[in-house]
Amino acid sequence: MKDTDLHGVGTETGTVFRADCPSRPILDQIADKWSMMVMALLERPARFNELKRRLEGVTQRVLTQTLRRLERNGMIQRRVLPTSPVGVEYSLTPLGESLREPFGRLYDWTVEHNEEIQNCQRAYDSRG
């Protein structure tokens, strides 16, 4: 059996993608469509209902879960506002802000190749 490091990279054989690699849950979080959309909206602090209005199709439950996971992973911070009724606003942390640039490249790639991908999907589906 070949030795691998904590991340599953084999010392002799290359990447193994181990099931217990600590990067897996983080990749799962940041690759989630709702997480990425929330982070894209947080160019400035925003309240829950503003985020919900701008994310067409997201349920209150899914948005709540997404925000909690992002907060737990240090990507966003939740601030209770001293208003009546009490309000909450969300903003990116420095760690979350550091993800904007690579996410921006991924988003730009997606927009640039959208038509080509849709053509590939139609061609694949027509073979059915």
Side-chain angles (χ1 to χ4, degrees):
M1 185 162 120
K2 304 290 182 187
D3 290 330
T4 59
D5 71 9
L6 181 62
H7 303 288
V9 176
T11 55
E12 295 180 25
T13 60
T15 304
V16 176
F17 298 112
R18 287 179 27 182
D20 63 346
C21 178
S23 66
R24 281 194 177 191
I26 298 167
L27 287 170
D28 183 48
Q29 166 75 61
I30 63 176
D32 173 72
K33 71 177 179 182
W34 295 119
S35 294
M36 296 314 303
M37 288 186 214
V38 164
M39 292 181 65
L41 289 177
L42 289 177
E43 293 180 61
R44 60 172 181 72
R47 291 184 177 210
F48 181 91
N49 285 330
E50 178 185 353
L51 294 170
K52 187 166 181 333
R53 277 192 305 274
R54 295 180 66 194
L55 291 169
E56 191 171 300
V58 71
T59 64
Q60 183 163 334
R61 179 178 170 266
V62 167
L63 182 54
T64 298
Q65 290 172 340
T66 299
L67 290 167
R68 285 181 182 159
R69 283 194 326 254
L70 286 169
E71 183 180 11
R72 181 174 183 261
N73 288 339
M75 302 293 174
I76 66 169
Q77 63 185 3
R78 178 181 184 269
R79 185 169 74 102
V80 177
L81 303 171
T83 57
S84 181
V86 174
V88 176
E89 108 182 334
Y90 297 91
S91 60
L92 290 177
T93 62
L95 182 61
E97 190 66 44
S98 73
L99 190 56
R100 289 180 68 79
E101 192 261 328
F103 170 67
R105 287 196 316 262
L106 177 60
Y107 179 78
D108 291 344
W109 181 91
T110 303
V111 170
E112 180 181 337
H113 294 90
N114 182 46
E115 189 174 330
E116 181 181 354
I117 292 168
Q118 288 179 342
N119 289 338
C120 290
Q121 291 170 341
R122 283 190 287 276
Y124 180 91
D125 293 346
S126 70
R127 293 186 296 212

